[in-house]
Amino acid sequence: MPVISVPYAFNEEELYVDLRSIYGRSLFLKCEGFNFAGSIKLKAGIEMVETAEREGVLKPDSILVESSSGNLGVALSTIAASKGYRFLCVTDSRCNLSTRLMMEALGSEVHIVAGQEANGGFLGARIDYIRELCASDDRYVWLSQYTNPSNWKAHYRRTAPEIAREFPGLNVLFVGAGTTGTLMGCARYFRQWHQQVRIIAVDSVGSVAFGGAPGRRMIPGLGMSIRPPLLDESYVDEVLRVEEADTIRACHYLARHGFLFGGSTGTVVSGAMGWLAEHDEREVTAVAIAPDLGDRYLDTVYQTNWLKGLYGDDVLSSDEPDALSLAGSPRAADAVTGPLDRPRRGSGL
C-alpha cells in the first residue's frame, strides 16, 4: 500500500475510463484528478517549485505568487502548506467559490482582480497585479506558469511516459490547451519517442491561443486571452475548438452515467468524440486527458440557474450526444478546425 509523508508524493497514474459504453465508441480518459490537489496541475506545480528551489530562487522567507483560474492555485496551496511557504493566488471572478475556499483552507491568500483586457480577458490584469507586487517586495517569487519551461517538462517526464506505457499502440492523443504546458510536454515526448501518435489540441471557442477572434469564456481551465508563450504549433497536428455550450452538455451527459468531471474534461471529450465520429475511426486507439473532477464545478457547470443565466434556457434542453457521436456519421463540425498547415507526422491513422 502507498505510504506518504507529503501530499504531492501521491498521484494516481494508471486510472483510465473507457467511454465506449457511454458514447458507443472507445476513448480512454486518463483521470488526473485523483491526488491531494485534485488535478493534473499538481505535477506542474511541484516541478516548478522544486526547480526554483534547486536554482536558489526560492528561499525560506519567500512568498510564492501565481496567476491561476483555480487548479494550479490549489496545487500550489497544497505544496506551499507542505513545504512551509506563504502563497498568494491571483485570480478573477471566474474562479469557482469552492476552489477559493479550498485555497484559503490550506492557508493561502486569494486576490481577485476586477479589471479586464480590451478583448474581455482577465489575464492581463492578473499579471499586471503580480508584476507590481514583485516590484514592491523582493520576497515575492512568481513562478509564471505561462512561461516556465518546468510546466511542460513535468508532462514530458511524467504524463506522456505514463500514457505510452499503458498504450504502446496509441494512435491519437487529445489534450486540452490552456497554458499549453500539458500539450507541449506530451507533444514533445511523443514526437521524440513515438512519432506515429497524432497530437490533437482541444481549445475553447473564444480563446485566442491558436488565433481567431476573442470571445466570452466563463468556464475556467482551458483557453487563453493571449497566445501562450509555451506554445509551439509545429508539435501539434490538429486543433479542435469547442463551444462552451457543448462543454456543458458533455459534462452533464457524463454525469448522467455516474462520471462527474470538470469543465476542461467536458471540452476535451466533446471535441474528441466529434473528431472520432467525423473520421469514423472505430478501431483507432485514442486517449484524452481529463485534468480534474467535477466537484469544484457544482456551483457553475452543474448549477442550473448559473447555466441558464449565461447560456439561455435551452442549454440543457438535451445533454444527449447527437446521432453522429453515437453512430459515426460525418457531421458539419462547426466547433472543429482542420489540420494545421504542415504535413502529418509518421504513419498514424
Side-chain angles (χ1 to χ4, degrees):
M1 63 177 179
V3 177
I4 64 172
S5 56
V6 291
Y8 48 85
F10 171 79
N11 186 70
E12 174 54 64
E13 300 175 349
E14 300 177 354
L15 179 61
Y16 293 80
V17 175
D18 186 356
L19 297 183
R20 183 183 294 276
S21 64
I22 300 175
Y23 281 91
R25 62 180 69 255
S26 185
L27 174 67
F28 296 97
L29 273 184
K30 187 179 194 307
C31 300
E32 291 281 353
F34 293 97
N35 57 53
F36 282 93
S39 81
I40 196 170
K41 290 292 190 177
L42 184 63
K43 292 177 176 177
I46 194 60
E47 186 79 20
M48 291 191 293
V49 167
E50 293 193 338
T51 298
E53 288 176 332
R54 287 193 300 271
E55 294 176 350
V57 175
L58 271 176
K59 300 177 176 62
D61 65 340
S62 294
I63 305 170
L64 284 168
V65 61
E66 185 56 84
S67 162
S68 171
S69 60
N71 281 337
L72 182 64
V74 174
L76 290 175
S77 295
T78 302
I79 295 164
S82 177
K83 287 178 170 285
Y85 295 114
R86 289 174 57 191
F87 171 57
L88 169 62
C89 181
V90 180
T91 188
D92 57 65
S93 58
R94 295 173 304 164
C95 182
N96 298 321
L97 175 61
S98 59
T99 299
R100 300 201 299 267
L101 293 175
M102 190 175 301
M103 288 188 280
E104 290 171 350
L106 289 164
S108 299
E109 297 176 63
V110 179
H111 178 82
I112 302 172
V113 300
Q116 290 181 275
E117 300 158 314
N119 63 9
F122 289 93
L123 182 57
R126 285 167 21 189
I127 290 176
D128 286 346
Y129 180 83
I130 290 175
R131 285 177 173 153
E132 291 175 7
L133 204 63
C134 291
S136 69
D137 190 333
D138 60 11
R139 291 178 300 166
Y140 284 101
V141 174
W142 180 25
L143 296 174
S144 184
Q145 62 167 322
Y146 311 106
T147 60
N148 194 325
S150 292
N151 185 348
W152 68 260
K153 287 178 182 178
H155 305 289
Y156 178 91
R157 292 169 178 166
R158 296 186 59 184
T159 308
E162 290 162 9
I163 296 169
R165 283 196 300 270
E166 298 297 326
F167 297 93
L170 181 65
N171 300 115
V172 186
L173 178 64
F174 297 93
V175 187
T179 66
T180 68
T182 306
L183 174 65
M184 287 293 95
C186 290
R188 282 187 165 93
Y189 177 87
F190 283 105
R191 167 71 68 87
Q192 182 173 359
W193 300 107
H194 302 272
Q195 292 190 10
Q196 80 281 1
V197 177
R198 189 176 186 89
I199 303 296
I200 300 184
V202 186
D203 198 10
S204 300
V205 170
S207 165
V208 302
F210 295 90
R216 184 189 72 169
R217 292 178 294 109
M218 299 304 298
I219 301 173
L222 298 186
M224 290 278 281
S225 57
I226 62 171
R227 179 181 172 82
L230 296 177
L231 176 62
D232 183 341
E233 291 185 36
S234 69
Y235 287 93
V236 180
D237 291 296
E238 198 166 344
V239 179
L240 313 179
R241 292 186 176 90
V242 176
E243 295 278 0
E244 286 195 334
D246 292 323
T247 292
I248 291 161
R249 294 185 187 107
C251 286
H252 281 255
Y253 187 66
L254 288 165
R256 294 297 179 268
H257 291 80
F259 292 105
L260 195 72
F261 283 108
S264 298
T265 299
T267 303
V268 173
V269 168
S270 179
M273 284 299 173
W275 188 95
L276 291 168
E278 184 181 0
H279 291 77
D280 198 20
E281 298 289 353
R282 290 185 174 272
E283 302 306 319
V284 69
T285 299
V287 170
I289 296 176
D292 61 4
L293 301 179
D295 53 324
R296 296 176 190 169
Y297 300 82
L298 294 177
D299 56 350
T300 54
V301 170
Y302 295 101
Q303 214 285 326
T304 303
N305 291 337
W306 186 87
L307 292 176
K308 289 184 177 181
L310 290 171
Y311 303 99
D313 291 341
D314 296 332
V315 66
L316 291 180
S317 58
S318 174
D319 57 20
E320 299 290 316
D322 58 28
L324 153 85
S325 297
L326 295 174
S329 305
R331 66 173 170 132
D334 57 349
V336 181
T337 65
L340 299 180
D341 294 328
R342 68 179 191 82
R344 189 188 337 188
R345 300 197 314 270
S347 54
L349 300 176

